[in-house]
Amino acid sequence: MRLLLNTAIAALACTAAPLTAGDSDFEFWLNPSASWELDSNTDLEVETAQRFRDSRRGRVDTYFARLWIHQGISDAFTLSGAFEKRINDGGRDETRLIQQLSGRHGVLRTRLRFEQRFIEDADRLALRLRPRLGVSVPLDADGRWSFDSNAELFFTLRGTSASSDTGLTGLRTQIGVGYEVNDRLALSATYLRQQDIAPGKPDTIGHAPVIGVELSF
């Protein structure tokens, strides 16, 4: 919990801090997914994303697919693991292994994600830790509509080479609404701000509307 509180404080500090001649880009993200209930505590999920960017600034379009296994370990916590294949337009494709612990505490939402990143043509395996803290607040009596917001920090523990930046290398904040159409379909619309941080260099800022579609079977 102390780590999550520190995450929130650091995220607010980064958001409030002035940028050093940062560049801003507009992007558009789609995030469709489908999940299947294997038993009362276990789900299988296929998550995909399509991220369309302005490649003139060096941020290329990205497409990925993840295969998740989610295991409920208590009423509050879910332990998950995933295998991901990521395609980047122009090369340097990536494979990831992901372990994740998610929590629900009233309206509070917590998530701690650890990634092992195998990047094409990189010198070595990269490691990254991503703590996230957010809220999900019901907006109607039936609980179909919700207001959702979160802040996530990106800590690079090991870069792709000995000279790679480590430490705090990114901040992602999101704010939006979700709607449960029925037991099988949920939709979301979110504004996302991605801040890439490199010591001694201008930060790069991405602004993206994100459309989410979740199917459950």
Side-chain angles (χ1 to χ4, degrees), residues 38-210:
L38 302 182
D39 61 39
S40 59
N41 293 317
T42 311
D43 291 337
L44 176 71
E45 179 186 5
V46 176
E47 178 188 7
T48 70
Q50 301 79 42
R51 299 175 176 176
F52 303 103
R53 299 176 166 122
D54 185 353
S55 61
R56 292 173 298 177
R57 293 186 181 269
R59 294 172 61 84
V60 298
D61 293 348
T62 298
Y63 313 90
F64 74 68
R66 291 178 185 149
L67 179 63
W68 286 99
I69 293 288
H70 303 291
Q71 178 68 48
I73 57 176
S74 73
D75 291 339
F77 291 101
T78 300
L79 187 64
S80 307
F83 173 83
E84 174 187 314
K85 185 62 180 179
R86 180 173 296 242
I87 306 299
N88 295 308
D89 244 356
R92 290 185 63 80
D93 296 340
E94 182 177 346
T95 300
R96 293 184 187 179
L97 299 178
I98 304 171
Q99 301 82 48
Q100 176 174 290
L101 181 65
S102 305
R104 301 166 63 93
H105 323 274
V107 300
L108 288 178
R109 298 291 183 268
T110 59
R111 193 181 79 183
L112 184 62
R113 177 179 291 182
F114 182 51
E115 300 175 328
Q116 300 87 56
R117 307 174 64 201
F118 303 86
I119 301 174
E120 190 177 77
D121 299 327
D123 295 338
R124 62 185 189 180
L125 166 70
L127 302 174
R128 190 163 65 183
L129 190 66
R130 296 169 52 177
R132 189 174 86 173
L133 179 63
V135 295
S136 181
V137 181
L139 296 178
D140 65 330
D142 295 330
R144 284 191 157 189
W145 286 96
S146 64
F147 166 81
D148 303 289
S149 182
N150 60 69
E152 181 176 18
L153 296 176
F154 291 68
F155 290 101
T156 299
L157 306 178
R158 188 174 192 257
T160 55
S161 69
S163 60
S164 297
D165 293 331
T166 57
L168 180 61
T169 53
L171 166 65
R172 177 177 295 174
T173 51
Q174 301 184 72
I175 185 170
V177 294
Y179 178 64
E180 292 186 6
V181 179
N182 52 44
D183 291 341
R184 295 191 178 275
L185 176 63
L187 306 174
S188 61
T190 303
Y191 162 72
L192 179 147
R193 179 185 182 275
Q194 176 74 42
Q195 180 175 349
D196 295 332
I197 302 167
K201 299 178 183 178
D203 292 348
T204 301
I205 310 297
H207 305 274
V210 183

Side-chain angles (χ1 to χ4, degrees), residues 21-42:
D23 292 326
S24 292
D25 294 330
F26 180 79
E27 307 175 5
F28 179 66
W29 294 14
L30 297 173
N31 191 200
S33 65
S35 62
W36 293 262
E37 184 178 290
L38 302 182
D39 61 39
S40 59
N41 293 317
T42 311

